[in-house]
Amino acid sequence: MSDIPSDLRYRDSHEWVRLEDDGSVVVGISDHAQAALGDMVFVEVPEPGFAYAQGDACAVIESVKAASDIYAPISGEILEANAALQDNPGLVNSDPYGDGWLFSMTPSNAGELDDLLSAADYANTLED
Amino acid sequence: MQSAEIKKTALYSAHLAAGARMVDFSGWEMPINYGSQLDEHHVVRKDAGMFDVSHMTVVDVRGAGTRSFLQHLLANDVARLAEPGKALYSCMLNERGGVIDDLITYFLDDNYFRLVVNAATRSKDLAWMQEQARGFDVQVAEQHDLAMIAVQGPNARAKTLSVLPAADAVVAEGLQALFAAQCGEFFIARTGYTGEDGFEISLPADRATGFWEQLLSAGVKPCGLGARDSLRLEAGMNLYGQDMDENTSPLESGLAWTVAMKDGRDFIGRAALETQIAGGIHMRLVGLVLEDRGVLRAGQPVRTSRGSGLTTSGGFSPSLNRTIAFARIPAGDDLECAVDIRGKPLRARIVRPPFVRHGKPCAGVL
């Protein structure tokens, strides 16, 4: 059974979102997703300052198996990309909710957070 | 495979016990990895890993006409096999010079050769061999109830020898590279698909789990098909169905060295290859090393100064910490090309495979 922290919000495409005290959000992929994809070998994160609408493909992660698009879970501007992933993409496998975060965003519409899934609802999408 | 039921090897339970992630591979439920493909890759380069390759098809050819049949059937010449036990890699071609399959053939005695062919091509291979065998004094028989375990890596032989019965270990230890011997119920070959030393062992399916467990206790780590693919790519070994198929010739697949044209031997596909040679071989299979950041995969468009091509296999090379590929491109002496990855042209260097041998990068690759 994969780890699904209850304090995060999720997208059914396996991104997680953490709301920070300053109103920004941090985005990564779930433990389930990293395990399914296998060892990460390349991460292409967006440049700070670029703006994306909710659901836009904004990053690419490549595992030994395949390339996968990462979708902006909410609309907003990229604040920071996780530079450590350039040399160590395996952080996404070893610590998907911590050092393996992908990027942070400044939401343009914080209300979109309500569109995301709770941990329990995300867990339900994984059952079948 | 749609309607056909998915098949399981004799080691299925052993894979689950080892924490395997299973996938459908040519109709077989096989381990893709046991946690980390990268760790499994490195263990084969540095120590010893084992692969369940029981899905592969073993075909025995027996009879007085065996040698002449195989000289007709195969593009490589079994006349090169003089010593019993010797193995030969060959393509089996159609009349158009396209590759029906690639295989290993073992010369056991003048009336008995063993062939190991791919799982995905099993039925068409058997049908083709049976059809071509007409008129030859041979029996072509698939061997059922065999399992096959490949133990590969610098410590693979020592660890395997430590768990074989003493008499068999003596025989196995004496095997030169590309030789095989029947040791009791075990058929032991010093061959592989990783670029490392090791054995490929065929054994009765009902003994597979016991032997697998002995290898485990000798410190041999289970490795999945994912690592097998990155290892063979680094080793410069083609994968049937990706790097060549019925519509590509061995001459444009980096396999000219496996085609024995001398002495006028009349093998299937020879006439087509002669026509190709007369008209010039227009494409070649090369190695690529990506210079920009990204990951090479099969099926990416390639541009060279002489025209366009396509990657046929690609991925991350754990031994080089770079991404590498095979590509079929216009023949010529280009040293670099551009690979289209998600709409962006990325720079790649053209090299001659293999990329890695016996754990070390090959000259000119890095």
Side-chain angles (χ1 to χ4, degrees), chain A residues 35 39 41 62-64 66 86, chain B residues 36-38 295 297 316 342:
Chain A
D39 295 315
V41 295
E62 299 216 26
S63 73
V64 286
Q86 182 155 343
Chain B
S36 169
Q37 179 178 325
L38 294 179
V295 181
R297 307 277 184 189
F316 179 72
R342 290 186 291 275

Side-chain angles (χ1 to χ4, degrees), chain A residues 12-97:
Chain A
D12 58 4
S13 51
H14 309 291
E15 293 87 356
W16 57 259
V17 177
R18 187 175 66 230
L19 180 61
E20 303 286 82
D21 292 341
D22 64 1
S24 68
V25 298
V26 179
V27 179
I29 65 162
S30 71
D31 183 40
H32 170 84
Q34 70 74 21
L37 292 168
D39 295 315
M40 296 301 160
V41 295
F42 178 71
V43 178
E44 192 174 87
V45 282
E47 299 276 334
F50 276 70
Y52 293 94
Q54 186 177 39
D56 282 354
C58 64
V60 176
I61 55 175
E62 299 216 26
S63 73
V64 286
K65 245 187 259 174
S68 309
D69 285 319
I70 300 297
Y71 301 96
I74 56 169
S75 306
E77 192 172 290
I78 302 297
L79 195 60
E80 191 184 352
N82 184 355
L85 299 179
Q86 182 155 343
D87 289 332
N88 192 0
L91 290 171
V92 175
N93 298 110
S94 58
D95 194 6
Y97 299 111

